[in-house]
Amino acid sequence: MLCAALTPVKQHWRDLIPAAALMIAVTAAIAVATLWPSGDRGQYAVIAPPSYDLGRTIGLVRAAGGSIVDVGGLKNVVILHSADKNAVNALYHAGAWLVIDPQLLRGCAGFHQVAISPGASA
């Protein structure tokens, strides 16, 4: 009876499928929660289609009633301000591919704050 309890159990890679599925689901949920636009101070990051140049991206933001706060290294990604509660829906309706929280883009997508002192020319 004791020998039967000590025999090794053969395990298959299929036994790990439920754990892997749970890990993928949790990782996806964390990514969505992190990128979800909070609207903190009315700021949003907009990712327009890759074919958009900066002019078309700014036009998209203006069509949604927003104003540009910052632009970065990518011509189809901008940070905008809008006091409108429906800004996210308006941006998607204007053609934005993705609207996310701008805090992540400040360090990752070439965004940098440029301070111009009074009296200095840009």
Side-chain angles (χ1 to χ4, degrees):
M1 182 83 166
L2 184 58
C3 289
L6 296 177
T7 58
V9 177
K10 187 173 184 181
Q11 298 206 355
H12 296 283
W13 63 269
R14 287 175 283 174
D15 296 335
L16 298 176
I17 291 176
L22 180 62
M23 182 183 71
I24 291 169
V26 168
T27 302
I30 290 171
V32 167
T34 301
L35 295 175
W36 196 264
S38 66
D40 185 33
R41 297 178 307 235
Q43 291 188 358
Y44 305 94
V46 175
I47 300 174
S51 62
Y52 276 31
D53 61 358
L54 187 57
R56 286 184 72 186
T57 304
I58 291 172
L60 179 147
V61 170
R62 287 189 179 152
S67 58
I68 302 293
V69 173
D70 204 356
V71 295
L74 301 173
K75 57 189 172 190
N76 66 327
V77 180
V78 296
I79 295 177
L80 69 105
H81 176 268
S82 178
D84 186 8
K85 299 258 187 229
N86 294 321
V88 174
N89 290 333
L91 288 163
Y92 282 125
H93 189 273
W97 271 17
L98 191 60
V99 181
I100 61 175
D101 190 27
Q103 293 300 328
L104 295 174
L105 291 181
R106 293 257 183 227
C108 297
F111 286 91
H112 59 287
Q113 295 292 355
V114 178
I116 299 175
S117 61
S121 61

